[in-house]
Amino acid sequence: MARERLPGRGCCALRRCLLAAALLLGLRLCAELRRAGPQPPALSSPPGQGPRPPGSHLQPAPGQRRGASRRQVTYVRSGRRAPAGGGRSGTPEPGCCALRGRPRRKGPRWQIDLQPWAGPARSLDEEALRFLRYISTIQIACDHMSTDSLATASSPTKKPWSVCLDDRFGLVHQIRIKQCRLYSLGLGSDDTQFEVGMANNGCEVHRFDPSVKSAHVLESERLWYHRLSIDWRDPHPAVAAQKPYSNTRKLGTILNEFGHHKIDVLKADLESAEWKVLENLILEDVLEQIGQLIFEIHLHWPGFEVSGSDSSVVRFWYSLLKELELQDFRLFHSYKDLSKPQLFLKKDIFNASSCYTLGWVNTRWK
């Protein structure tokens, strides 16, 4: 006798087949979406214009080379009209923010590497003697130096700011072709003879001083004054939100805002803030953007936000200067200011001055 087929058995098999097919289709769709990745949202177009092509917001402006920064800063409004054709003419106008190429960026470091102690006793005598010997020993000879404002008996406040003009280091060539850029960091000093001289010789000079009355002043054709103070940290975001035009910045932040990617000379007289500023330049790899460093260092006290025993403070100072050497900076100029008190960490020892002016050249500078 023929077996009778159970009702609904064929329908169950069909449903199982459909569910399996749907599952396979879903898995394949998920795999395709995972490979494709998230898609950027569509860019909206201004009224009256057609849709912009993909990536049009990343295209360089007409006449701008690919890879150059698209951010520039205008400090003073000019009364001259831009010539036709996007501001291009036979001879380009001098600008404060001409781009010089983008450097390689590295990840920031959190702290410098401290050098070993100068001796087993870890004493101030050992550390101080090593440090003073280091800053008094020239590491590379410079045959042609420009030395302005040498101290004299009649004008003891003048500083011996010097730059190396040997052909092998490139600064003299940049001056000849009027492509030199100098940053001067100060705190209320009236001595601007060095800056004026460099501007007259063809350098684009930017002097940063929080005591300047106006935000940005074009003093002469190549000399700018900015009411900005260079610090080792940017303002806290909460403070910056309340004071969007705060006059304190890190040097790396200033470079990004101004669109400057190279500084031929960095001069700094920061009245004991130089140690933390120098540490910031090292940790954030800003040094590779600088051709020559001219710093006035102060030794009568540890400096802003530098603490610890006297021997550990001097070890920290020495480690900072050794970091410069590790990044191919070489000391070419050292000047001991005898017009300042002869104090070393508030002590009259080692016949040391409380103030030295040091100059380094970046031997890899191009």
Side-chain angles (χ1 to χ4, degrees):
M1 182 175 61
R3 182 177 297 175
E4 186 177 353
R5 179 177 297 178
L6 295 175
R9 187 173 181 179
C11 296
C12 293
L14 180 60
R15 280 197 296 267
R16 284 196 296 269
C17 291
L18 291 175
L19 287 174
L23 180 61
L24 290 174
L25 182 60
L27 292 174
R28 182 174 181 181
L29 181 60
C30 289
E32 292 292 336
L33 290 175
R34 189 177 295 110
R35 280 198 297 268
Q39 296 297 325
L43 297 173
S44 58
S45 301
Q49 297 184 8
R52 289 184 287 180
S56 60
H57 62 299
L58 300 177
Q59 297 297 324
Q64 182 181 6
R65 61 182 177 83
R66 185 178 299 273
S69 173
R70 294 180 297 281
R71 187 172 188 177
Q72 288 189 336
V73 176
T74 301
Y75 307 116
V76 180
R77 180 171 295 180
S78 172
R80 294 176 291 180
R81 292 181 179 271
R88 292 187 172 273
S89 59
T91 57
E93 291 186 3
C96 62
C97 309
L99 301 183
R100 298 276 300 278
R102 184 178 300 278
R104 294 179 289 107
R105 302 301 300 165
K106 302 176 183 178
R109 294 162 56 189
W110 297 108
Q111 61 184 11
I112 67 165
D113 298 325
L114 291 175
Q115 292 292 314
W117 291 95
R122 302 185 179 185
S123 66
L124 175 61
D125 286 5
E126 292 172 335
E127 295 299 325
L129 289 174
R130 177 177 68 170
F131 176 81
L132 292 171
R133 189 182 304 116
Y134 189 80
I135 65 173
S136 303
T137 303
I138 300 302
Q139 297 172 334
I140 192 169
C142 180
D143 298 327
H144 303 89
M145 275 199 300
S146 167
T147 305
D148 294 319
S149 307
L150 281 174
T152 63
S154 59
S155 58
T157 60
K158 297 296 184 181
K159 312 293 183 185
W161 304 108
S162 301
V163 292
C164 184
L165 297 177
D166 286 2
D167 287 334
R168 54 182 168 155
F169 299 130
L171 176 59
V172 65
H173 173 71
Q174 294 298 112
I175 292 175
R176 290 193 191 110
I177 65 175
K178 310 296 184 183
Q179 294 294 320
C180 165
R181 179 176 292 130
L182 180 145
Y183 271 29
S184 173
L185 318 181
L187 294 172
S189 174
D190 294 328
D191 179 16
T192 59
Q193 182 176 343
F194 175 75
E195 289 82 354
V196 171
M198 293 295 286
N200 291 338
N201 286 331
C203 275
E204 173 190 317
V205 178
H206 297 267
R207 178 170 173 80
F208 299 89
D209 191 330
S211 65
V212 176
K213 295 182 179 180
S214 300
H216 306 286
V217 178
L218 180 59
E219 182 72 13
S220 63
E221 181 182 1
R222 294 182 176 273
L223 178 58
W224 296 84
Y225 286 86
H226 307 285
R227 190 176 59 204
L228 289 168
S229 175
I230 305 301
D231 205 340
W232 56 93
R233 59 196 168 198
D234 284 328
H236 189 277
V239 176
Q242 296 177 359
K243 299 180 179 179
Y245 300 104
S246 173
N247 63 349
T248 300
R249 303 279 197 284
K250 293 187 298 186
L251 182 62
T253 302
I254 293 290
L255 290 171
N256 290 333
E257 290 181 353
F258 283 18
H260 295 163
H261 304 306
K262 285 190 176 182
I263 306 172
D264 294 285
V265 180
L266 175 64
K267 172 204 167 191
D269 182 4
L270 296 174
E271 304 299 337
S272 299
E274 65 273 2
W275 298 113
K276 294 299 290 185
V277 169
L278 182 58
E279 181 187 37
N280 172 256
L281 300 184
I282 294 169
L283 295 180
E284 296 194 354
D285 287 313
V286 181
L287 286 176
E288 64 181 10
Q289 300 173 247
I290 300 171
Q292 296 189 27
L293 286 171
I294 312 172
F295 267 59
E296 183 178 88
I297 61 172
H298 302 85
L299 310 179
H300 60 287
W301 72 296
F304 292 101
E305 294 196 11
V306 178
S307 60
S309 65
D310 287 348
S311 57
S312 63
V313 166
V314 181
R315 181 192 182 200
F316 172 72
W317 291 347
Y318 176 73
S319 299
L320 284 176
L321 302 189
K322 286 295 287 185
E323 287 275 358
L324 294 179
E325 184 179 347
L326 292 174
Q327 298 197 36
D328 296 312
F329 280 80
R330 297 293 182 267
L331 188 68
F332 71 89
H333 177 65
S334 176
Y335 174 79
K336 178 181 179 180
D337 193 344
L338 297 178
S339 68
K340 295 295 180 68
Q342 306 299 293
L343 292 176
F344 189 91
L345 291 178
K346 302 180 181 179
K347 299 177 179 65
D348 184 8
I349 54 177
F350 310 119
N351 194 30
S353 173
S354 60
C355 181
Y356 290 77
T357 302
L358 306 177
W360 293 269
V361 61
N362 185 349
T363 57
R364 292 188 293 112
W365 185 250
K366 295 181 181 180

